[in-house]
Amino acid sequence: MLKTYHFKNMRTGDEVQVGKFSYLWALMFGPAYVVFKAGPSCVVRSVVLSVACFGFLFMLLVNLNRVPGSIQPVVLILGVLGVLVIHSLQTVSLIVKYYRKQRRWSVKLD
């Protein structure tokens, strides 16, 4: 699920790695991490993704009272963890797409 990507520019020999900890950094810092790894060209999509995930978390919390009280903690924990994992995976996906399509670097999976 958490793949490690190695990007290489064949002309200059530059290399960039997106590994397991990148998913954690993407989860915690979102758009700031995208700016650090991929540059400002992808930041708008990352901000939209972060706002959408925040909106989903907000709606989850607002509507939590509609869930029976006995399973509210389970729904809350699984819902929050699910949104955070989706946010992390999609943020790393933005970075991978940037290196593949815009920079046209070669990609190697580990």
Side-chain angles (χ1 to χ4, degrees):
M1 182 173 167
L2 303 178
K3 300 174 183 171
T4 300
Y5 296 94
H6 296 280
F7 304 103
K8 185 172 184 178
N9 186 342
M10 294 304 193
R11 288 186 217 139
T12 63
D14 293 340
E15 292 185 20
V16 175
Q17 179 180 348
V18 176
K20 306 264 187 247
F21 281 111
S22 295
Y23 292 90
L24 180 63
W25 298 123
L27 171 71
M28 292 190 308
F29 302 113
Y33 184 70
V34 170
V35 168
F36 173 72
K37 273 294 191 187
S41 65
C42 298
V43 80
V44 173
R45 283 180 265 165
S46 180
V47 168
V48 169
L49 174 66
S50 295
V51 168
C53 288
F54 174 76
F56 187 78
L57 286 174
F58 181 75
M59 293 305 294
L60 176 70
L61 294 175
V62 167
N63 292 311
L64 193 62
N65 62 349
R66 297 177 187 222
V67 176
S70 60
I71 63 168
Q72 280 183 355
V74 174
V75 170
L76 181 64
I77 290 169
L78 292 179
V80 169
L81 287 177
V83 170
L84 294 178
V85 167
I86 289 170
H87 180 264
S88 176
L89 291 172
Q90 290 301 313
T91 302
V92 169
S93 175
L94 285 174
I95 295 168
V96 170
K97 287 178 186 174
Y98 169 75
Y99 279 103
R100 276 188 179 156
K101 304 224 183 220
Q102 291 183 1
R103 285 198 169 181
R104 300 188 191 279
W105 286 23
S106 68
V107 180
K108 179 183 170 192
L109 283 172
D110 279 345

